Amino acid sequence: MADYNYLLEHRLSKAQQEALGKVREIARNKGLTAFLAGGAVRDLTSGSPVRDLDVVVQGNALKLKKELEKAHAVISAENELMQALYVLFPGGVRMEIGSTVTVSYPKPGKPVVKPATILDDLRRRDFTANSMALSLNDGSYALLMDPLNGVADIENRELRLVSNYGFIEDPVRMIRAVRLMARLGWQMDERTQARYETGKQEGYISAMSSFQRGYETEEIFHEEDPQRVIKRLESEGWMKHLFPALTSSKANHGELEKLRDAQGQLQMQGINPDASAANFPLLTAKMAPKDVSALKKSFPRKAFVHEIDALEKEGKAFAAHLTGKDAALPSQAWKLLYSAKPEAVLWAAHYGKGAAIQNKFKGFYTEWPQARLKIPYALMQEMRIVPDVPRYDELLDKLFFELMDNKLGTVEEMKAFLEPYSPPAPPPPVHLRRARAVKKDAKPPRSRKKAAVAESTATAEGTAATAAVTAQTSPVTTPATGKAAKAAAPAVKPAAPAKGAAKQPPPAKKAEAPVKAKAAAKPAATKPVAKSAPKKPAKVPARKTPVKKVAAKPVAKKQSKAIAKKAPAKKPAPAKKAAKKR
């Protein structure tokens, strides 16, 4: 499903968006709901250019006439039967504003109109591709209404009748079908094609009204390629029913092609003229003056006739301004081209034959736009001129015009021009971490002292651990006959280091090796270790625990077995007696 909110914003021209916004505001003030319907929604969905707008309101659209005129819209025609206004907005925007109605046909070509809802209005239209609408109301803006599945027919590029009796009720739909097929390149579906052929044979077209005849003839001139449409209508035999004197042989084909080329070049530069009025004299170039006059009178929208008559005068006046002193510089001519009426610009671009005016358009198409490539964005960045700077877009336009007029040729000239727009440099940032960094640099002496003490302590502990491991492994090499001495030696040795623990720490470390023996000297062995070294460095010998596990465990088991067999608990008694004798 297409995002119609996005399409309304990007597919419509600026003038069309402004015109649609004015109609929305008028309908809102009147308390009416408004919808964009018909061909505009079809073209938005299919990707075709949106040439005109069709708006319907749930109410009487004829009552909006005064408000539309206040909004600078020109009422070119009215259709009281269908309660519709044909409006021309500034910028060449053509719009039909009608009421939501339902139509019945008691007789062919004789409609009976009644007010209805938007869905009923969509169901009474000609083809399913034209029976879609988009809401223009607050709260439901861009909401699609497609009761007859027109999107599917658009994807298939087919025209399908809404009613089986569509060609009988309103025969002009047969001519409209051919015109749309010539413009879009679509085809009618099988059933619609069969009813179309029947309508041609039965002569349904005789019921077409004079208003419809003039309206469809005028629509030919509003086509993007009117010459192709005329040829297609001629092949189907419909031009003799519309206006017999208007044929493809009466047109100036070469000039029509040149006009289309000029229109395309202007569109590439952002100028979108409506070529309808400019097409008229070329399509009727070989017609008799009386036929041309009769053709103009048949048009129901008289504002279009006024455009045709006034176009030549407006074009000549614009050409005089473009070649005058007020547009001597390229920048002045550029501004004049964008401020003038697009249709007058198109006329001057096509009909202007002088070398002066042709050189102006040649520069406008090719040379002048190259000045945008010379804008020094890198230099502007260095001078802190970024898009966030106020009036940045205005500065770009001024710079573009200066470069277009060749007034800024060197870097120094560009700097001088940009200097007034350069904002002041920001103050240097304040680094609050500098004070902390100084304090951190003052701490290393203390940490070095602590590191030296820790290293010496770790060295001492490593030496003690090595001695302890040696003490544990040495008893294993003794003969088997001295097992009693192995168990007794740990019990006798702790007494000596207990007296001089403060003066001679190495003997106390040797006493730590027989951990498994339950002797009274154990507390005496642990006290010197606690005094001589802190707890944290004691983790250094723990790294050599695998050596302890491999060598000490078997020894501990043998010692425990020897103590259990020979009862070493009886031997401490003589030691006590000796102490008493002393």
Side-chain angles (χ1 to χ4, degrees), residues 102-267:
T102 181
V103 183
S104 60
Y105 292 88
K107 295 181 180 180
K110 303 294 182 181
V112 176
V113 180
K114 295 181 181 179
T117 63
I118 179 61
L119 293 178
D120 292 335
D121 182 87
L122 296 177
R123 291 190 180 97
R124 60 94 183 168
R125 292 181 176 254
D126 48 8
F127 305 106
T128 56
N130 294 337
S131 300
M132 300 187 299
L134 294 175
S135 174
L136 300 178
N137 308 294
D138 297 338
S140 62
Y141 184 75
L143 177 65
L144 176 66
M145 285 163 283
D146 184 13
L148 302 176
N149 197 18
V151 172
D153 291 323
I154 291 175
E155 292 177 355
N156 295 330
R157 299 172 64 85
E158 289 182 345
L159 293 176
R160 186 188 304 274
L161 278 173
V162 172
S163 172
N164 293 333
Y165 305 99
F167 291 144
I168 300 175
E169 295 172 344
D170 193 1
V172 77
R173 292 170 177 171
M174 294 188 292
I175 297 177
R176 191 176 304 150
V178 175
R179 179 166 56 83
L180 292 176
M181 288 190 297
R183 181 205 302 177
L184 304 173
W186 295 8
Q187 299 295 328
M188 289 182 280
D189 74 295
E190 185 177 353
R191 293 183 179 180
T192 303
Q193 183 69 39
R195 291 180 174 87
Y196 173 80
E197 297 297 338
T198 302
K200 286 178 63 177
Q201 295 175 4
E202 297 294 332
Y204 293 165
I205 198 66
S206 60
M208 181 174 57
S209 65
S210 59
F211 178 87
Q212 292 174 329
R213 184 180 292 106
Y215 182 86
E216 287 297 327
T217 305
E218 182 183 341
E219 284 296 314
I220 296 174
F221 293 91
H222 294 297
E223 291 289 338
E224 184 178 354
D225 189 355
Q227 186 177 355
R228 180 175 59 185
V229 175
I230 292 176
K231 290 180 178 180
R232 184 67 180 271
L233 291 172
E234 284 180 339
S235 65
E236 295 292 332
W238 296 125
M239 286 307 300
K240 61 183 180 182
H241 295 282
L242 292 175
F243 198 84
L246 182 61
T247 62
S248 60
S249 61
K250 302 291 182 68
N252 189 338
H253 303 289
E255 292 298 320
L256 282 171
E257 292 298 329
K258 292 180 180 179
L259 180 65
R260 290 190 62 192
D261 292 341
Q263 183 184 11
Q265 288 179 326
L266 291 174
Q267 288 174 344

Side-chain angles (χ1 to χ4, degrees), residues 323-387:
T323 55
K325 294 182 180 180
D326 296 337
L329 295 176
S331 60
Q332 295 173 337
W334 182 281
K335 295 176 183 178
L336 180 61
L337 285 165
Y338 279 97
S339 62
K341 187 177 180 180
E343 289 73 24
V345 177
L346 177 62
W347 189 96
H350 177 69
Y351 290 100
K353 302 302 180 181
I357 192 169
Q358 290 301 321
N359 290 334
K360 293 282 187 180
F361 279 102
K362 182 179 179 180
F364 178 68
Y365 295 150
T366 58
E367 298 175 6
W368 301 344
Q370 299 299 320
R372 291 195 184 277
L373 302 178
K374 300 178 182 179
I375 296 178
Y377 290 103
L379 179 61
M380 295 171 66
Q381 186 75 20
E382 294 177 2
M383 299 179 69
R384 301 173 299 280
I385 303 176
V386 294

Side-chain angles (χ1 to χ4, degrees), residues 52-53 75-78 85-88 94-96 179 211 214-222 296-308:
D52 51 13
L53 303 177
I75 308 299
S76 58
E78 297 182 25
L85 296 172
Y86 299 96
V87 185
L88 182 64
R94 291 182 293 112
M95 183 184 298
E96 179 180 347
R179 179 166 56 83
F211 178 87
Y215 182 86
E216 287 297 327
T217 305
E218 182 183 341
E219 284 296 314
I220 296 174
F221 293 91
H222 294 297
K296 291 180 179 179
K297 290 180 180 179
S298 67
F299 293 161
R301 289 174 282 196
K302 301 305 177 184
F304 179 55
V305 178
H306 177 72
E307 289 179 24
I308 296 171

Side-chain angles (χ1 to χ4, degrees), residues 42-110:
R42 177 200 65 222
D43 294 337
L44 285 174
T45 306
S46 64
S48 302
V50 181
R51 301 184 57 80
D52 51 13
L53 303 177
D54 184 3
V55 177
V56 292
V57 296
Q58 291 191 156
N60 191 348
L62 298 177
K63 295 182 180 180
L64 304 178
K65 184 176 179 180
K66 292 183 179 180
E67 285 73 12
L68 291 171
E69 291 176 344
K70 292 179 182 179
H72 307 289
V74 178
I75 308 299
S76 58
E78 297 182 25
N79 189 342
E80 295 183 0
L81 178 62
M82 301 300 294
Q83 297 181 5
L85 296 172
Y86 299 96
V87 185
L88 182 64
F89 280 93
V93 179
R94 291 182 293 112
M95 183 184 298
E96 179 180 347
I97 304 175
S99 304
T100 54
V101 296
T102 181
V103 183
S104 60
Y105 292 88
K107 295 181 180 180
K110 303 294 182 181

Side-chain angles (χ1 to χ4, degrees), residues 298-527:
S298 67
F299 293 161
R301 289 174 282 196
K302 301 305 177 184
F304 179 55
V305 178
H306 177 72
E307 289 179 24
I308 296 171
D309 296 337
L311 179 60
E312 184 177 359
K313 181 180 179 180
E314 294 174 352
K316 289 180 178 180
F318 170 76
H321 285 294
L322 187 62
T323 55
K325 294 182 180 180
D326 296 337
L329 295 176
S331 60
Q332 295 173 337
W334 182 281
K335 295 176 183 178
L336 180 61
L337 285 165
Y338 279 97
S339 62
K341 187 177 180 180
E343 289 73 24
V345 177
L346 177 62
W347 189 96
H350 177 69
Y351 290 100
K353 302 302 180 181
I357 192 169
Q358 290 301 321
N359 290 334
K360 293 282 187 180
F361 279 102
K362 182 179 179 180
F364 178 68
Y365 295 150
T366 58
E367 298 175 6
W368 301 344
Q370 299 299 320
R372 291 195 184 277
L373 302 178
K374 300 178 182 179
I375 296 178
Y377 290 103
L379 179 61
M380 295 171 66
Q381 186 75 20
E382 294 177 2
M383 299 179 69
R384 301 173 299 280
I385 303 176
V386 294
D388 296 337
V389 174
R391 302 170 65 186
Y392 179 79
D393 294 335
E394 182 180 348
L395 171 61
L396 288 182
D397 291 338
K398 291 181 179 179
L399 187 59
F400 171 62
F401 292 137
E402 292 292 320
L403 292 170
M404 184 187 298
D405 295 337
N406 296 321
K407 293 182 179 180
L408 301 177
T410 62
V411 178
E412 290 73 14
E413 292 176 347
M414 292 183 184
K415 286 184 178 180
F417 178 80
L418 294 173
E419 187 62 32
Y421 301 95
S422 178
V430 178
H431 298 288
L432 300 177
R433 295 184 179 181
R434 289 182 178 178
R436 296 182 181 179
V438 172
K439 291 182 180 179
K440 287 183 179 179
D441 294 340
K443 289 181 180 179
R446 296 182 181 179
S447 62
R448 290 172 184 172
K449 291 180 180 180
K450 292 182 179 180
V453 173
E455 289 178 2
S456 61
T457 305
T459 305
E461 291 298 327
T463 306
T466 305
V469 172
T470 307
Q472 289 179 357
T473 55
S474 59
V476 180
T477 59
T478 57
T481 55
K483 291 180 180 180
K486 295 177 184 178
V492 176
K493 289 179 180 180
K499 294 179 181 180
K503 296 180 180 180
Q504 297 177 357
K509 292 177 183 177
K510 291 182 180 180
E512 292 177 4
V515 179
K516 298 294 181 177
K518 296 181 180 179
K522 185 176 182 180
T526 56
K527 289 180 181 179

